[in-house]
């Protein structure tokens, strides 16, 4: 089982980045996926999740309207499009997956302990 994040980097405030999470070793469509981040000195927080069981998405208030999560079943990849980035978005961003065949929405799965985690990709937003 592997989750491999890519797309992180250095960007100026107001800019955009697109993170990708390539999944392998398990049945992609049977899992819900989430993006999390951990800033220096802070706890890891859930940002956004997508449920394959009902197609719903979930965002925390601080990223809603700026970040967009999407899923590409043909490539077993989940993306996080991040626009209007702010310096406070600087963090290591992680992709995670949880068994998700129950007909639950993405918010439910975001609050569920994840089964698999990627190693993370660093996003740095300069002011």
């Amino acid at each position: 089982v592997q989750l491999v994040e890519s797309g992180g980097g250095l960007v100026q405030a107001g800019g955009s980045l697109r993170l990708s999470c390539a999944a392998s070793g398990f049945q992609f469509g049977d899992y819900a996926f989430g993006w999390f981040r951990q800033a220096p000195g802070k706890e890891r927080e859930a940002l956004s999740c997508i449920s394959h069981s009902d197609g719903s998405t979930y965002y925390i208030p601080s990223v809603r309207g700026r970040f967009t999560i999407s899923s590409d079943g043909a490539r077993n990849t989940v993306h996080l499009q991040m626009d209007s980035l702010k310096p406070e978005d600087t963090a290591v961003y992680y992709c995670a997956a949880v068994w998700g065949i129950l007909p639950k929405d993405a918010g439910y799965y975001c609050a569920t302990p994840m089964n698999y985690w990627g190693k993370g990709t660093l996003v740095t937003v300069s002011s």
Side-chain angles (χ1 to χ4, degrees), residues 45-70:
E45 63 174 344
L47 301 176
S48 177
C49 288
I50 186 165
S51 170
H52 286 137
S53 65
D54 73 351
S56 63
T57 57
Y58 166 84
Y59 302 91
I60 61 171
S62 62
V63 306
R64 189 177 299 130
R66 299 190 299 125
F67 292 9
T68 304
I69 191 170
S70 62

Side-chain angles (χ1 to χ4, degrees), residues 27-122:
Q27 193 65 32
F28 183 79
D30 287 344
Y31 284 74
F33 285 79
W35 284 96
F36 298 71
R37 70 184 177 192
Q38 186 166 20
K42 295 187 177 180
E43 292 189 355
R44 186 168 57 194
E45 63 174 344
L47 301 176
S48 177
C49 288
I50 186 165
S51 170
H52 286 137
S53 65
D54 73 351
S56 63
T57 57
Y58 166 84
Y59 302 91
I60 61 171
S62 62
V63 306
R64 189 177 299 130
R66 299 190 299 125
F67 292 9
T68 304
I69 191 170
S70 62
S71 175
D72 182 348
R75 293 176 173 79
N76 286 4
T77 301
V78 175
H79 301 287
L80 185 69
Q81 176 67 40
M82 305 188 297
D83 300 317
S84 302
L85 283 162
K86 305 175 182 180
E88 51 264 42
D89 293 319
T90 294
V92 178
Y93 284 68
Y94 298 90
C95 172
V98 61
W99 179 250
I101 64 170
L102 297 176
K104 301 288 188 180
D105 63 28
Y108 169 88
Y109 286 113
C110 248
T112 302
M114 296 288 157
N115 298 126
Y116 307 123
W117 289 88
K119 294 183 178 181
T121 185
L122 177 63

Side-chain angles (χ1 to χ4, degrees), residues 7 17 41 46 83 87 112 123 127:
L17 283 174
D83 300 317
T112 302
V123 172
S127 57

